[in-house]
Amino acid sequence: MSRPIVTRFAPSPTGMLHIGGVRTALFCWLFARKHGGRFILRIEDTDLSRSTDDNIRIIEEGMAWCGLTWDEGPVPGDPTAWIGEHGPYRQMQRMESHYKPAVEKLLSEGKAYRCRCTKEDLDARRATVEAKGVPFQYGRGHDAGNGCRHKQHDASEPFAVRLAMPEGHETWLDEGAIAWTDLIKGRLAFPAESLDDWIIARTGEKGQIGVPTYNFCVVVDDTGMNVSHVLRGDDHVSNTPKQLALYHAMGFEQPQFGHVPMILGKDGAKLSKRHGATSITEYQEMGFLPAAVRLALARLSWTPKVDGQAPESAEEELLTDAQMIELFDLKDIQKSPARFDMDKLVWMNQKLIQRASWQELEPHLAHFMPDAWKNKSEDWKRVAIQATQKGKSLKEMAQALAFCWQAPESFDEKAVEKFMTAAVKPALREVASLHDYEHDALQTAFNGILETQGLKLKDLAQALRVALCGQPVSPPIFDTLWLLGVEEVRTRLQRWL
C-alpha cells in the first residue's frame, strides 16, 4: 500500500507571515486536499531570541483568514492545546519528549559527537581559512584535524553536539554525493566532501544537551508526524542534504522533497515593500478576499492544465478552490521565480467580489464596519452589499457606505456650486416629503418630480448625493435613500431647504 499523503507548513514565529510562506502553505494544502491527505501546521520556535507568542498568534490568525485550515496543529490562542495525535505542535514544547532523547541516541551510537570548540576558537580558525580564499569547513579541508570528531569528549564541560556527516566513501551515497530527485527541480546532488559536520544541538549548561537546531528538529518532527512530502521554498535546498544525512543516520524513512521557486516583484527584483504589502495580514486590512489571495498566490509558479491546456483567457483563470484542488499537480509548477503582480490581484479581487453572493461577502465586509453594522437587518445588509458590489475591495465597499453611519460634516464646495442650484431646491423639498422608499415607489415618485420640475435624473441624484453624503458619489440613489431611511433623509435635507 502506498504511503498516506501528509504535508506540513512549519513557519518560524520570528516576524510577519510573509506571502511567500503563505504561497508555500497553499501548495502544501492543495496537494494534501488533492490526494485526500492531511495538512499539518507546526510552529518552529527554537529561535528563542526572535520567536514570540504574538508572532505565533499572527501566524494562526493569518492562516485561518486565508482559509488554509489544518488537520493537525495548534489550537489558536491556546498554547497548551492542539488537534491531532502527534502534538504538541510547538517545537519548544517537544524538547524533553522528542529532541533530546534523539540526540542522546545518536551520541550513544557514535553518529554524533560532543564539540567543545568555543566561538572565539571557531572565529579565529574561520578567519585563517578564509584568508586563503577558500570557504571554512569545520574539521575538513584546511581545518582538517582541528575539530572534535575523534576527541571523545564527555559531558563534564559545556558542549554542542555535531552530526558526523558522510565523508564521501560511504556506500549509501550516490557517487560520493548526497542526491535526491526533487519533485520540482529534478535531480539535485551535493558532494559529501563539501558538507561539514553541522551542529544539531547548541551548547547547553554543563552536562546538559542544549536547544536542538532547526535542521535537526525538522527531521525528528517530519518523521514523527509521518510527513510524506516536504514542499517548501527553494531557499531550503541547501538544508536538504544535511537533513538527508540525518534521516540516514537515524534510520528514518525520508519523505519526498519539492522546492518551489521564490516570488519576485513585478520588476524582477526581490519582493519588498515597494512592490506592495508583503505580510498576509496587510492584505486583509487592504480589503482583499481570502479567495482572491489564494487564487493569486496559487498562480505564482503554477499553471493549471485542463485537458492538457493552460487557461487561454483571463476569465478562465478565476478558479474556485474545488477547481484548484482538482487540477493541482506538482508537474505544473515552474522552476523559475514567479513575479507578483498587484494589479492582477486587484483585478481578481474585484471579479470575485462581483461574482459572490451578498451572504458570502458579509462576514468579510463586517471586518471593516462599525459596531452598528451588527444591528442591521439581513435585508439592509443585502441592499448595502449589492449596492456597492462593483468596488475593487472590501475596504472600498466599506468607504462607499460610510455615509450610512454619520452625516457629512463638510461638503465638496465645487459639487455644491455645480449641483445645489436654485432649480433643484423645489425637487429636494418634494423628495423630503416622500414616505415610501421601496424601489418601485421611488421610481414612480421621481418620474413625477422630474417631469414637474423639468429636471433630469442625474441632476436631482447628484444634488441629493451632495446633500446626504457631502460629495457627488454614493451608491445608486434609490439605494442611498433606502439605506438612510425616511427620517434621516429628511433631517439631512433640512439645511438645504
Side-chain angles (χ1 to χ4, degrees), residues 152-212:
Q152 302 296 319
H153 291 308
D154 59 24
S156 61
E157 297 292 336
F159 61 89
V161 180
R162 291 181 182 269
L163 181 69
M165 289 286 283
E167 296 177 306
H169 53 76
E170 289 81 358
T171 57
W172 67 274
L173 297 176
D174 184 353
E175 297 182 350
I178 298 177
W180 73 96
T181 301
D182 196 90
L183 295 169
I184 295 169
K185 295 181 175 296
R187 186 180 185 277
L188 296 173
F190 288 72
E193 62 183 15
S194 69
L195 303 166
D196 57 4
D197 297 349
W198 52 282
I199 293 176
I200 63 175
R202 301 174 180 90
T203 301
E205 298 296 325
K206 184 177 178 178
Q208 300 294 319
I209 293 173
V211 176

Side-chain angles (χ1 to χ4, degrees), residues 281-443:
T281 54
E282 291 180 87
Y283 286 92
Q284 179 181 11
E285 295 307 318
M286 291 165 67
F288 288 99
L289 286 171
V293 173
R294 288 196 298 272
L295 179 58
L297 291 180
R299 294 307 316 276
L300 295 175
S301 300
W302 174 53
T303 303
K305 302 288 179 59
V306 179
D307 298 327
Q309 299 295 319
E312 296 183 356
S313 69
E315 291 289 336
E316 291 177 350
E317 293 187 44
L318 297 173
L319 303 174
T320 64
D321 283 346
Q323 289 172 318
M324 287 197 291
I325 290 171
E326 178 184 358
L327 298 174
F328 190 73
D329 194 324
L330 295 177
K331 296 178 181 178
D332 297 327
I333 295 179
Q334 64 191 43
K335 299 177 182 179
S336 56
R339 298 197 180 196
F340 180 73
D341 187 343
M342 177 64 82
D343 292 337
K344 190 165 187 177
L345 171 57
V346 171
W347 176 82
M348 287 181 170
N349 196 56
Q350 185 171 24
K351 286 292 185 180
L352 292 182
I353 286 176
Q354 291 172 353
R355 291 185 174 193
S357 67
W358 75 267
Q359 294 96 330
E360 292 171 320
L361 294 176
E362 194 278 329
H364 300 293
L365 183 61
H367 176 74
F368 299 92
M369 291 300 190
D371 289 340
W373 174 265
K374 300 175 185 177
N375 300 322
K376 293 295 186 179
S377 69
E378 293 293 285
D379 203 33
W380 193 94
K381 291 178 180 178
R382 173 186 61 79
V383 173
I385 291 172
Q386 292 177 344
T388 56
Q389 209 163 341
K390 292 183 180 180
K392 294 180 180 179
S393 72
L394 297 166
K395 190 173 184 178
E396 189 174 291
M397 291 173 65
Q399 290 170 343
L401 292 169
F403 72 93
C404 296
W405 319 113
Q406 184 175 357
E409 297 178 354
S410 61
F411 296 84
D412 184 323
E413 294 182 3
K414 291 184 178 179
V416 169
E417 182 179 355
K418 181 177 181 180
F419 298 114
M420 302 304 288
T421 63
V424 83
K425 293 294 179 68
L428 293 180
R429 289 192 182 91
E430 291 196 51
V431 171
S433 68
L434 299 177
H435 56 82
D436 187 348
Y437 279 10
E438 292 304 318
H439 187 278
D440 290 346
L442 282 174
Q443 182 72 63

Side-chain angles (χ1 to χ4, degrees), residues 453-487:
Q453 302 299 332
L455 296 173
K456 295 181 179 179
L457 176 59
K458 69 175 184 178
D459 297 322
L460 178 55
Q462 292 300 78
L464 283 168
R465 288 189 171 99
V466 172
L468 301 175
C469 308
Q471 59 182 357
V473 178
S474 82
I477 194 60
F478 292 171
D479 292 332
T480 297
L481 293 169
W482 190 89
L483 291 169
L484 285 174
V486 173
E487 294 305 318

